[in-house]
Amino acid sequence: MKLVMFDHDGERHLGALRPGHEDQVVELTPLAHDLLALIDAGESALAEARQIVSGGGARTRALKDVTLLPPLDPPRGNIIAMGRNYQKHAEETAHGGEAKPPTIFTKAITSVTGPYDDIAIDPSISADIDWEVELAVVIGRRGANIPRREALAHVFGYMVLNDVSARDIQNGWGGQYFKGKSLDRSCPTGPWVVTRDEIPNPQGLGLRLRVNGQVKQDGNTRDMIYPVDATIEWASKGMTLLPGTVIATGTPDGVGFARTPPEFLKADDVMETEVEGIGVLRNRMVPARALIRD
């Protein structure tokens, strides 16, 4: 299934794309009020959701008539992110050589934004905003010290994530990964979560990122240094992964700051962030406005 959160008439709803008719959204709100609640309800609730989606009695809306929201807003805890998990990206960022345990950092839950939302650029905060296409893993089962052979059984599903990064903050404030990757509403996710059964092998998915139609990144998850199962094993060492946790598994080469000359996003640029078999995010960069969010 492709599970979504959507807004209709100012109200949030859980839904799923109808198989074979993915221009339609089947409402699942009577089953669970959001995706996190569905994950918490376990396999029986997921089986019931499949029955509702395949049946004919549930309320259905046209996809074009709803606004897609981030599937998990917020996820359960900060997004766990893997740094330098593709060899060519490690090399382009001057961290090549023998693969070592990956860098793990987190992104604030307030960085999450929708699959088609605008992203604000505020030059007083950062002038070096960069892109990173990533496969995101949504954890479905609680676990710590998860053996690699059991890791994929802990996955609920997968989605697309763009780890938009303020490079001047990340690299120029003494190595502030958390701050540089946690600007408010800067991390688009979605457009839906594809359940694990539809992607039995996550190590063969193309990843592409385009800016204004021009391809900037073109990679494949087969090139991960630490594949998804090894990433989960490493991330769970001595640390419990909770249902609803999101793991961003790293980006391939082609990021802006490593180009010659460096390239950064500017107002009116449009990013398209794609993972094969999942979907495409489309986000426009816009000037920041004097706006305080509660």
Side-chain angles (χ1 to χ4, degrees):
M1 281 190 300
K2 292 184 172 72
L3 293 160
V4 300
M5 289 297 299
F6 66 93
D7 178 279
H8 187 264
D9 291 338
E11 295 185 357
R12 296 172 74 244
H13 300 269
L14 172 66
L17 302 190
R18 184 180 293 282
H21 301 277
E22 293 193 344
D23 58 345
Q24 300 175 18
V25 180
V26 179
E27 187 166 335
L28 296 174
T29 305
L31 178 62
H33 66 274
D34 64 14
L35 183 54
L36 194 56
L38 182 67
I39 294 171
D40 285 341
E43 289 295 330
S44 60
L46 190 58
E48 187 174 349
R50 289 193 176 97
Q51 290 181 344
I52 293 171
V53 170
S54 62
R59 174 178 289 181
T60 301
R61 305 183 190 277
L63 181 60
K64 64 179 179 61
D65 293 337
V66 304
T67 299
L68 291 186
L69 304 172
L72 290 157
D73 187 13
R76 183 156 278 138
N78 285 355
I79 296 170
I80 297 171
M82 307 297 285
R84 302 189 291 270
N85 198 23
Y86 288 76
Q87 186 62 38
K88 288 183 179 180
H89 177 59
E91 291 169 359
E92 74 175 353
T93 57
H95 291 279
E98 183 180 353
K100 298 178 180 180
T103 299
I104 292 182
F105 56 92
T106 68
K107 295 169 62 69
I109 59 176
T110 47
S111 68
V112 171
T113 196
Y116 309 128
D117 288 352
D118 292 341
I119 298 174
I121 291 180
D122 185 345
S124 71
I125 302 298
S126 173
D128 296 348
I129 304 296
D130 203 349
W131 56 80
E132 292 191 10
V133 55
E134 305 202 17
L135 172 69
V137 176
V138 179
I139 296 297
R141 284 175 49 198
R142 179 189 182 104
N145 301 311
I146 300 168
R148 184 173 178 178
R149 66 182 179 276
E150 299 174 10
L152 293 186
H154 286 258
V155 174
F156 178 83
Y158 303 93
M159 62 181 177
V160 187
L161 181 147
N162 189 337
D163 181 19
V164 173
S165 304
R167 300 299 189 188
D168 41 2
I169 297 175
Q170 176 189 345
N171 299 320
W173 291 11
Q176 297 282 353
Y177 269 69
F178 178 71
K179 285 289 290 181
K181 291 171 174 285
S182 292
L183 299 185
D184 282 350
R185 313 300 291 179
S186 66
C187 179
T189 59
W192 31 72
V193 171
V194 180
T195 51
R196 183 184 73 223
D197 57 296
E198 294 199 12
I199 304 180
N201 177 18
Q203 302 310 141
L205 307 177
L207 302 96
R208 281 167 290 277
L209 187 137
R210 296 176 290 273
V211 177
N212 302 328
Q214 183 177 358
V215 175
K216 299 295 185 180
Q217 292 181 277
D218 190 355
N220 194 290
T221 57
R222 72 171 65 95
D223 298 324
M224 287 181 179
I225 298 171
Y226 286 82
V228 170
D229 53 2
T231 290
I232 293 171
E233 179 185 50
W234 179 251
S236 70
K237 285 184 181 294
M239 183 177 77
T240 300
L241 300 181
L242 299 173
T245 297
V246 172
I247 301 176
T249 58
T251 195
D253 59 304
V255 295
F257 88 97
R259 291 172 171 266
T260 305
E263 298 177 19
F264 297 109
L265 294 161
K266 59 187 183 301
D268 294 326
D269 283 346
V270 175
M271 292 185 294
E272 295 175 290
T273 311
E274 179 178 7
V275 177
E276 179 184 5
I278 300 179
V280 182
L281 314 175
R282 294 182 181 87
N283 303 95
R284 181 180 298 276
M285 309 304 294
V286 299
R289 293 176 174 80
L291 177 66
I292 299 175
R293 296 181 183 273
D294 294 331

